[in-house]
Amino acid sequence: MAAWREGRHYMIKGKVWLVGAGPGDISLITVKGLNAIKNAEVILYDRLVNPKILDFAPDGCEFIYCGKLPDRHFLRQEAINQLMVDKASEFERVVRLKGGDPGVFGRVGEEAAFLAEHEVPYEIVPGITSGIAAAMYAGVPVTHREFGESFAVVTAHDKSVDGKPNLNWEGIANGIDTVAFYMGIANLPFICEKLIEHGKAPDTPVMLVQWGTYSRQKVLQGNLANISALAVKEKFNNPSITLVGNIVSLREKLNWFEKKPLFGRQILVARSSSGASELAERLAERGADVIEFPKWKYEIVMPDVQLLEKLPGFKKILFTSPRSCDAFFKTLKERKIDIRKITADLYGSSTTLSAIENHGFSALPKEQIDKDNVLIVGEESMLADKLSFTQQFGSCDFWITGHKVMDDKYLPLFERMLQEADIDTVIFPSSSSVRGLDQGLTNLGENFGAFLQGKQTMVMGKQTAAALNDFYKDHVEIAEKPTIESIIQLAEQVRP
């Protein structure tokens, strides 16, 4: 598709998805929004997007931070608009990721209009807006038959010269039961004054919710007469929503999120592998904010040519993991090697057998393999057990399918997360995670020991504790058993 820019004719290659990421809890993104992220080639994301959601992006996806703060802009809106068009001329799938719902004070109308003007195809994917989600996570539905049948979302700052919102205060004060003001902390005294001036009772309940839907969520309750003073006393800041209405009184009965056993905990899980972490998922389910660091990616490597030539002669092939099995067959396909040349019996662990069968081969449990003339297929880390393999199987050859490397693309994201969160607990699931965190912190310019100071440090077993002792000599909590259940139980019992 052709378009024009600065008098020049150029081609639009792709399409832009304007996606609402939700309010913070990454599980609140829509299925359609998540699919857009999973298929994106480039993502332009805002400050209020939880960076953790970018974990779902494919390898090789380009990240561009467009974050804006009240006192400064990383990229101005005009530059963001043009960047979307530029990227759509380079890539087929461009995602513009915005916090909350892009249509609720997210300037999606301006961005969509710019794309339409430049003939760039686009879709708008709604998200859950923070005025509803933050209130619900604080225990307050925004409508209720007994307390409020009307609800409005209102910006607390607009284009007014003095920065004070120029609104229909009489209509808001007298015609709406429940009002959610977005980013209203700076103008809170003005908002309360105007609502009282136009008829709202001074004792009307008010609730402030900061970082709504995160475990670091903070809630402050008061009324129109005193909430401004309370906010100053408690040093309340944005990002916050201000909910005004009698419906706020329901919080005491309906507060559910803050009752989770790990609510308020900011936990860093040290990672040493790629893929999803069951431990991180389980901790988040129980209410914690979880940062997984560092981020790793898997790189496939090509085997030695001589090994490829020897492939038809092997009588037994042992795959050490499903990923190594998939990488093996992917390499054969890329090298155009006829799989009919494989005459060996194939073996694997219980989790690997199905991966082998998915490639059209029958397989046997690894316990049935006998000695000599064995090709062992696995990741580079298996070489640490090379002696054990040769003792068990005799004559062996090793096909290294790939290795994991730290994905430095995510380092700026982690830096932002660590700045905004207040990590109180660090969990090491394995010995290798100790070395991984040390490497990751070094790449961020952080000292390992200094980072752990003042934080609750937990390890999953004595072997991991011994590995950590080489780096850190202070007190460490050791889970009774090297299991996920045991480390979660320890986290719930021992508070920072």
Side-chain angles (χ1 to χ4, degrees), residues 40-100:
E41 295 172 280
V42 58
I43 297 176
L44 297 82
Y45 67 100
D46 282 348
R47 176 195 171 220
L48 294 182
V49 170
N50 186 343
K52 190 174 172 60
I53 207 166
L54 297 177
D55 284 351
F56 294 104
D59 291 341
C61 181
E62 180 184 358
F63 298 152
I64 301 174
Y65 181 50
C66 304
K68 290 175 282 186
L69 293 167
D71 58 342
R72 65 185 184 275
H73 292 262
F74 193 85
L75 282 179
R76 298 200 67 83
Q77 187 63 52
E78 296 79 7
I80 295 171
N81 292 347
Q82 188 59 60
L83 195 55
M84 287 190 296
V85 175
D86 292 343
K87 291 301 179 182
S89 69
E90 299 177 44
F91 300 99
E92 293 183 358
R93 304 184 68 88
V94 178
V95 169
R96 173 74 173 106
L97 196 58
K98 307 170 79 68

Side-chain angles (χ1 to χ4, degrees), residues 338-411:
D338 190 341
I339 60 173
R340 289 174 296 184
K341 292 183 178 180
I342 301 176
T343 59
D345 291 328
L346 308 186
Y347 299 84
S349 64
S350 57
T351 57
T352 306
L353 292 176
S354 59
I356 299 171
E357 291 166 357
N358 287 338
H359 291 281
F361 286 82
S362 59
L364 298 167
K366 66 176 184 178
E367 291 77 16
Q368 295 184 20
I369 195 169
D370 53 14
K371 289 190 173 185
D372 297 324
N373 198 22
V374 179
L375 173 63
I376 300 176
V377 179
E379 298 169 25
E380 188 177 46
S381 57
M382 75 173 177
L383 294 180
D385 298 319
K386 190 172 183 179
L387 179 60
S388 175
F389 280 122
T390 54
Q391 288 176 341
Q392 185 176 359
F393 301 120
S395 175
C396 295
D397 283 275
F398 295 87
W399 178 313
I400 306 302
T401 57
H403 55 266
K404 64 180 178 64
V405 296
M406 189 175 298
D407 197 337
D408 290 340
K409 175 178 69 175
Y410 286 83
L411 290 178

Side-chain angles (χ1 to χ4, degrees), residues 409-463:
K409 175 178 69 175
Y410 286 83
L411 290 178
L413 305 184
F414 289 120
E415 194 166 24
R416 272 192 52 228
M417 285 191 282
L418 293 176
Q419 289 170 352
E420 293 185 340
D422 186 13
I423 300 295
D424 56 57
T425 303
V426 179
I427 295 178
F428 294 94
S430 65
S431 301
S432 58
S433 70
V434 176
R435 297 185 292 274
L437 182 61
D438 178 56
Q439 181 184 342
L441 291 172
T442 298
N443 290 355
L444 281 178
E446 296 275 353
N447 177 269
F448 185 89
F451 179 80
L452 293 184
Q453 283 295 324
K455 298 177 177 66
Q456 190 81 60
T457 305
M458 300 181 177
V459 297
M460 195 185 291
K462 294 180 180 179
Q463 186 175 344

Side-chain angles (χ1 to χ4, degrees), residues 165-191:
N166 183 17
L167 304 169
N168 178 1
W169 290 106
E170 185 173 353
I172 293 173
N174 297 295
I176 307 295
D177 295 319
T178 307
V179 185
F181 291 91
Y182 283 53
M183 298 295 188
I185 299 301
N187 286 324
L188 190 56
F190 176 79
I191 291 169

Side-chain angles (χ1 to χ4, degrees), residues 137-164:
Y137 270 56
V140 179
V142 294
T143 64
H144 190 286
R145 287 191 299 173
E146 295 180 18
F147 294 91
E149 295 186 340
S150 59
F151 168 66
V153 294
V154 179
T155 180
H157 54 275
D158 55 21
K159 293 183 178 180
S160 304
V161 176
D162 60 359
K164 302 289 193 295

